[in-house]
Amino acid sequence: MPSLTFSQPDASFKTIYGPVTSWRYGASLGIDPIGAVSTCSFDCVYCQLGAIEQHVGSRQTFIPTERIRADLAAAAPWAVDVVTLSGSGEPTLALNLREILTLIREMTNRPSVVLTNGTLLRDPAVQDALMSADCVSMKLDAVTPDQLRRVNRSISGLTLEALLDGMRQFRDRFPNRLDIQTMLLTPWTAEEEATYADIVRSLHPNEIQLNTPTRPKPLKHELEARGNHLPEERSYPVRSLKPLSQEALQEMGDRLQQATGIPVRSPYHHLRE
Ligand code: SF4
C-alpha cells in the first residue's frame, strides 16, 4: 500500500453538514471525518460523491478531533434525531473514529450512527472504536465475488469471504443496533436473493434497508453531494442512474421479510411491522 499524505483541510471546509433528512434515521446531522478529498476502500458505481479520489484501505487521521469538536460546538443545540458519521468516504478509515463518537455522546447527547461499507471490520481496532456507536449500518450490496467487483469496485485484495467474515466478527461483539443497507441496481435472481437471506440471517441485524439509486451520480467529487439537494439546488453536473421500480423493491422486501423474519425498510415504504 503506498503511503499517502493528505494536506489539512482549509478553514473553509465544513466538517459538519446538514441536517439532512434520512429515510432511515430521520433528521440527521452529518459529521465528515474524511475531508475534502473523497477517500474510500470502495468506489461504488452509484456513489453520490462521484468517482472516489483516494481509493485506499489504510487508516489515518484526516481531520483533527479538536477541529471536529469546535465545529460540532458551533452546531449546537443539535435539534436532530441522530448524528451520523459518513461524509466524503468510508468513516472507519478515520483513526480518530472512537474520539469522534465519544464527542457526539458527551457533547450532543444524541444517538450516533456510523454508515460503513464494512471493509475494515476484521480490524480489531476498528471493532473497538465502533463499540462507542449507538447504531452501525453496514453496506451489503454483493452476494457474489462478481457483484463485489462490478458494483463496489473494492480495493485490490479484498474478497467477499473476508468482507463477510469481518461483518460476522463484528456482529458477534457489537451489542447495539446493527442494520444492513443494500443498494439494488438490477433485480436479483432467486438464487442471489436466497444467498442474501442466508447471509443476513447470520448477521442478526435489527433491520434490512433496501435502497435503489434515486439520486444521480455527480460526474466528479462534489462536497455538496453529502447533503440531500433538490434537483433545482444542485449546481454540479450529474449522471442519472436507473432505479429499480417501486414495485420490484417492495416485492423483494416482502419476500426477504418473510424469509428472514427481519423488518425491511425502503425509501418508498415505512418500516413494515
Ligand atoms: S462505500 Fe459509500 S462512500 Fe464508498 S464508494 Fe461506496 S457509496 Fe461511496
Side-chain angles (χ1 to χ4, degrees):
M1 181 70 61
S3 93
L4 297 164
T5 50
F6 289 78
S7 53
Q8 295 279 317
D10 65 31
S12 65
F13 175 77
K14 293 185 170 45
T15 62
I16 309 293
Y17 60 96
V20 299
T21 306
S22 160
W23 58 273
R24 301 175 287 189
Y25 300 113
S28 164
L29 188 69
I31 296 184
D32 186 342
I34 299 297
V37 178
S38 63
T39 304
C40 192
S41 41
F42 278 174
D43 183 15
C44 302
V45 290
Y46 57 80
C47 183
Q48 69 187 46
L49 299 171
I52 291 296
E53 295 164 306
Q54 297 279 1
H55 197 208
V56 298
S58 49
R59 305 184 72 207
Q60 62 180 280
T61 300
F62 299 93
I63 301 191
T65 309
E66 287 313 308
R67 167 81 183 274
I68 292 177
R69 181 196 300 277
D71 290 353
L72 193 55
W78 316 290
V80 290
D81 298 309
V82 295
V83 180
T84 303
L85 262 87
S86 177
S88 298
E90 170 52 36
T92 63
L93 287 171
L95 263 178
N96 51 347
L97 175 66
R98 188 211 296 261
E99 292 171 17
I100 298 168
L101 287 167
T102 303
L103 280 184
I104 296 171
R105 178 163 298 161
E106 291 178 354
M107 293 176 68
T108 73
N109 200 27
R110 295 287 185 281
S112 58
V113 178
V114 180
L115 307 182
T116 178
N117 63 21
T119 54
L120 277 74
L121 290 177
R122 288 219 290 189
D123 180 344
V126 172
Q127 294 179 13
D128 289 347
L130 285 173
M131 293 301 141
S132 300
D134 294 298
C135 172
V136 171
S137 179
M138 298 191 304
K139 182 183 295 300
L140 177 64
D141 296 337
V143 297
T144 66
D146 185 53
Q147 281 178 330
L148 186 67
R149 186 180 53 74
R150 282 187 296 103
V151 176
N152 297 125
R153 302 189 296 193
S154 171
I155 51 168
S156 62
L158 181 83
T159 63
L160 181 63
E161 197 180 341
L163 181 67
L164 296 177
D165 181 52
M167 290 181 178
R168 291 189 182 111
Q169 280 185 31
F170 176 65
R171 187 21 145 184
D172 285 348
R173 290 189 60 194
F174 187 61
N176 299 334
R177 173 171 168 172
L178 180 115
D179 298 329
I180 301 286
Q181 38 160 325
T182 297
M183 185 69 88
L184 292 152
L185 304 176
T186 55
W188 282 1
T189 64
E191 190 182 353
E192 287 166 344
E193 210 173 289
T195 305
Y196 177 85
D198 285 344
I199 294 170
V200 166
R201 266 191 229 100
S202 75
L203 293 169
H204 309 291
N206 292 69
E207 152 180 324
I208 299 167
Q209 299 164 343
L210 292 186
N211 203 356
T212 190
T214 51
R215 297 169 64 177
K217 177 169 175 152
L219 297 187
K220 63 179 186 58
H221 179 217
E222 298 287 348
L223 267 181
E224 281 180 65
R226 297 179 304 186
N228 42 7
H229 292 95
L230 298 170
E232 61 272 23
E233 294 172 342
R234 261 184 231 121
S235 60
Y236 46 87
V238 295
R239 177 168 66 88
S240 288
L241 299 162
K242 191 166 184 295
L244 218 61
S245 73
Q246 182 169 333
E247 294 71 31
L249 205 61
Q250 180 170 17
E251 285 166 15
M252 183 169 174
D254 289 344
R255 288 192 300 273
L256 284 170
Q257 182 159 312
Q258 179 119 35
T260 62
I262 298 163
V264 176
R265 188 191 293 265
S266 84
Y268 296 126
H269 300 96
H270 295 301
L271 190 66
R272 298 172 183 81
E273 301 300 338

